[in-house]
Amino acid sequence: MISESTTEQSSYYDNLEQMSVRDLLINMNKEDKKVALAVERSISQIEPLVKEIVRSFKEGGRLFYIGAGTSGRLGVLDASECPPTYGVPDHWVIGLIAGGDGALRKAVENAEDDLEQAWEDLRAYDINKKDVLIGIAASGRTPYVIGGLKKAAQHGILTGCITCNKRSQVAREAKFPIEVVVGSEFVTGSTRMKSGTAQKLVLNMISTSVMVKLGRIRGNKMVDMQLSNEKLVKRGTLMVAKELNIEEAEAETLLLKFKSVRKAVDGYRKIQRGV
């Protein structure tokens, strides 16, 4: 029931329009400080899902996110950042939003209310038993997400979810539910605020942990990042120079030759060994 949802409970603050700008900012920040602690309480739920995703990738699987509105946008964002950050193929992590890509910029009316559409969207990518599906829904009652999780489970696909309410329908449909209860929003029901922040933090934790365990980070460096602009070339050059203890000019030459920090470092060391 909506009335029982934590995400729909009335804000601790009232008469917002009468607050000064400073008070608005201070009070929003007070609420935001609660988010990381709520995520911390959910680590025991996040851990087993991450391990399953790592196993899935090693067996040739992929990771899918589905969601509507803010939740959907956050899933698409996380998926879209994996290739440039970790140098993985575009099809490894796929984010889908109710209403299609157009909904990333403009809300698509009633798109989230369709129980069947998520599965149709997933079928377009030939989702299968090797893959993992994570449904993202702050409220825990989004039909698009519920329907997608239910159908996926029926087809033997491993499922997880990220929600901000306890005992939600979305959580009941997921084998690995993650429930990050952040409490009422500063603006009552505006889940793009604390709930959205919590979902973003959890998505960061999931994708980063998975990529680290898949060997896409060396030490603490993004050695497989795409060199898609001058800033990243400069960053990569400094990484190569520091790792190999060589001048930046030589490091940049190596980087541009091998096209990645990892390949530049490994290539240089092979040359030094005469391999």
Side-chain angles (χ1 to χ4, degrees), residues 69-96:
T70 298
S71 298
R73 294 182 187 98
L74 289 170
V76 172
L77 173 64
D78 193 75
S80 68
E81 290 180 340
C82 286
T85 305
Y86 302 110
V88 299
D90 292 342
H91 65 269
W92 274 30
V93 186
I94 299 168
L96 301 174

Side-chain angles (χ1 to χ4, degrees), residues 177-195:
I178 298 169
E179 299 168 309
V180 188
V181 182
V182 296
S184 61
E185 298 286 358
F186 181 72
V187 174
T188 299
S190 181
T191 53
R192 73 182 186 89
M193 302 183 78
K194 286 159 62 180
S195 296

Side-chain angles (χ1 to χ4, degrees), residues 127-142:
I127 190 170
N128 59 73
K129 292 180 180 180
K130 291 183 178 181
D131 302 323
V132 176
L133 172 64
I134 297 179
I136 312 169
S139 67
R141 60 174 184 273
T142 306

Side-chain angles (χ1 to χ4, degrees), residues 98-118:
D101 287 352
L104 292 170
R105 290 184 175 273
K106 186 177 180 180
V108 177
E109 190 174 355
N110 299 324
E112 70 175 60
D113 296 329
D114 191 333
L115 274 167
E116 306 298 328
Q117 189 58 49

Side-chain angles (χ1 to χ4, degrees), residues 45 48-49 52 55 133 149 153 157-161 170-178:
Q45 294 180 320
L49 179 56
E52 288 294 333
R55 178 196 57 75
L133 172 64
L149 290 173
I157 297 164
L158 189 72
T159 59
C161 76
V170 161
R172 288 196 294 272
E173 297 296 343
K175 183 173 182 180
F176 292 92
I178 298 169

Side-chain angles (χ1 to χ4, degrees), residues 225 229-239 248 255:
M225 65 182 180
N229 58 50
E230 186 176 340
K231 177 190 73 175
L232 296 179
V233 170
K234 180 65 173 177
R235 181 189 295 166
T237 296
L238 294 173
M239 289 163 62
E248 287 185 27
L255 184 66

